[in-house]
Amino acid sequence: MAETISFARGAPSLDIVDVEGLRAAAGRAFEADPAGVTAYGTAVGYPPLRRWIAERHQVEPEQVMVTNGSMQADAFLFDALVEPGDVVIVERPTYDRTLLSLRQRDADVRMVELESDGIDVAALERVLASGAHAKLAHIIPNFQNPAGCTLSGPKRRTLIELARDHGFTIFEDDPYEALRFEGDQLPRMVSLDPERVVYASSFSKTVCPGIRVGYLVGPAPLIERIVKIATSTYISPSMVSQAIVHQFCVSGALENSIETVKQALRERAHALCAALREELPDARFVAPQGGYFLWLDLPRGTDVAALFKAAADRGVQFVKGSDFVLEGGKSSLRLAYSGVTVEQIEEGVRRLADAYREVSSSLAGAGAA
Ligand SMILES: Cc1ncc(COP(=O)(O)O)c(C=O)c1O
């Protein structure tokens, strides 16, 4: 059996993780602050990292809390804001774990279609006008997981106006922002309206996911409420991880790491787009300008569940589009190019195209019969 090629996981490959830089940062963390690193600490996070993040976002430290990955930050925010039956707007498609987390809380999840420049704000207006009293809108503004697209500047402003008019909070879930390899940076919604928007980001995609460090930026009273939930959940997040990240950031290693990851993503995204154009001309996609993901639409009627199996038989993995929606998505899939080399991408797409030919020929055969 040939080597398995995985387009499934939204994680960086080991060759673009600065292992040596992390090891050195860990040494400095234990040397510089043995008491702070080894203590329980508090649920707000490791204070020097909290201050560093606050400065980067130009907010007060009281507006920041640092968590064990941003997934934990999402969970705390939902615990604070979402009651069973509350209407929560999400993009369609959206990050599968967010969808699961909201459904576990019995939220009334309303999916609003994504366009190539982000959520369809006219469709969102219709949902709001129909009497849905939205409590929260979860938006992944940059290089969306799974669709890869980015919310345009005008749509960011429209969303804020809608949030003000209809009284809901925007949850700006933004772990990929620093990983733009083409085009211009757009303003964060949280900087446009710090009262209406709660922002989350993470070091998982720019440093490595195993370090489990993410954070929230929001209005101080809400952060204070969430800190109480965090205290009763885990006393405090990992001070060791956060102190390592802090040393990594202040030494300048973060900026180098972002450059390394971006460079690799640019190369991999270009290779993926070229291979898809060559091998799978039936597929439709928007070329990503950053981030980890590309969303592939195959012709209507393509059975992606069958493709998933045919690809697995050839040692290729991806995530089915249907995992990112409440219903439908059956002819789409997500390809993550963050964890695969250019050679693996080329070989993986060849195998995927071969699997597609098998699946579409059996479909044509079934139709003719
Ligand atoms: C949009 C989005 N939010 C949150 C997360 C979770 O990140 P973390 O590793 O910081 O928990 C991910 C990871 O894939 C993601 O894509």
Side-chain angles (χ1 to χ4, degrees):
M1 175 83 181
E3 160 207 44
T4 298
I5 297 173
S6 178
F7 294 110
R9 298 220 62 197
S13 52
L14 181 58
D15 59 313
I16 54 173
V17 174
D18 180 7
V19 178
E20 205 33 63
L22 283 166
R23 195 159 46 177
R28 290 196 302 277
F30 280 100
E31 261 165 46
D33 185 16
V37 170
T38 56
Y40 268 118
T42 81
V44 299
Y46 183 61
L49 181 61
R50 187 193 198 201
R51 283 195 296 274
W52 186 88
I53 293 167
E55 242 169 65
R56 210 163 156 95
H57 279 264
Q58 297 183 307
V59 296
E60 295 303 318
E62 292 67 34
Q63 292 171 260
V64 176
M65 77 180 281
V66 196
T67 52
N68 287 340
S70 66
M71 203 53 225
Q72 182 75 71
D74 298 12
F76 288 149
L77 181 69
F78 294 156
D79 286 342
L81 293 187
V82 181
E83 304 281 338
D86 279 349
V87 173
V88 179
I89 307 291
V90 302
E91 298 157 311
R92 182 182 191 278
T94 195
Y95 181 40
D96 48 347
R97 290 187 195 280
T98 305
L99 209 49
L100 194 67
S101 186
L102 287 169
R103 294 178 77 185
Q104 278 166 350
R105 287 170 174 78
D106 287 327
D108 178 356
V109 177
R110 308 284 179 96
M111 298 201 97
V112 177
E113 210 66 38
L114 267 182
E115 300 175 313
S116 58
D117 61 348
I119 191 165
D120 179 347
V121 285
L124 172 57
E125 271 192 85
R126 286 195 293 276
V127 172
L128 297 168
S130 74
H133 296 294
K135 187 89 166 272
L136 189 69
H138 173 258
I139 304 289
I140 306 166
N142 294 300
F143 324 120
Q144 205 254 11
N145 181 6
C149 62
T150 291
L151 184 65
S152 69
K155 281 190 172 180
R156 289 174 194 232
R157 291 188 172 79
T158 306
L159 264 180
I160 288 173
E161 278 163 28
L162 288 174
R164 286 178 186 158
D165 291 351
H166 294 268
F168 61 85
T169 299
I170 296 175
F171 175 25
E172 186 172 21
D173 186 3
D174 200 15
Y176 304 100
E177 186 207 25
L179 298 174
R180 176 181 281 282
F181 48 76
E182 258 151 44
D184 298 322
Q185 192 89 0
L186 292 162
R188 293 176 185 143
M189 286 184 284
V190 72
S191 62
L192 300 175
D193 190 339
E195 290 305 311
R196 280 264 155 233
V197 184
V198 181
Y199 183 91
S201 194
S202 173
F203 294 92
S204 288
K205 314 295 173 171
T206 50
V207 180
C208 68
I211 200 92
R212 306 309 297 132
V213 180
Y215 62 91
L216 278 182
V217 177
L222 177 63
I223 295 294
E224 201 182 324
R225 266 177 68 202
I226 297 176
V227 166
K228 290 200 178 98
I229 299 172
T231 306
S232 61
T233 305
Y234 58 23
I235 306 176
S236 63
S238 163
M239 293 295 115
V240 174
S241 286
Q242 295 193 8
I244 295 172
V245 168
H246 175 249
Q247 288 292 341
F248 195 82
C249 291
V250 296
S251 71
L254 176 67
E255 303 310 327
N256 292 339
S257 176
I258 290 173
E259 270 318 304
T260 306
V261 175
K262 257 190 340 195
Q263 179 66 30
L265 291 173
R266 179 187 293 114
E267 250 178 60
R268 293 171 189 185
H270 286 171
L272 180 58
C273 292
L276 290 169
R277 285 188 194 108
E278 174 82 23
E279 301 282 343
L280 261 174
D282 284 359
R284 292 285 162 267
F285 59 88
V286 177
Q289 294 196 315
Y292 278 26
F293 307 109
L294 181 144
W295 181 258
L296 206 61
D297 287 316
L298 291 166
R300 258 167 98 126
T302 305
D303 182 354
V304 164
L307 180 66
F308 182 81
K309 191 174 173 314
D313 291 343
R314 291 162 175 79
V316 174
Q317 298 168 340
F318 59 79
V319 183
K320 290 176 276 185
S322 54
D323 287 7
F324 303 99
V325 291
L326 294 174
E327 55 187 43
K330 289 192 175 2
S331 55
S332 305
L333 57 123
R334 185 192 77 176
L335 296 174
Y337 49 84
S338 51
V340 273
T341 63
V342 166
E343 294 70 37
Q344 288 171 322
I345 289 169
E346 288 166 352
E347 173 60 20
V349 172
R350 266 194 294 276
R351 293 190 210 166
L352 185 63
D354 190 52
Y356 173 71
R357 280 189 291 274
E358 178 189 297
V359 169
S360 47
S361 69
S362 68
L363 190 75

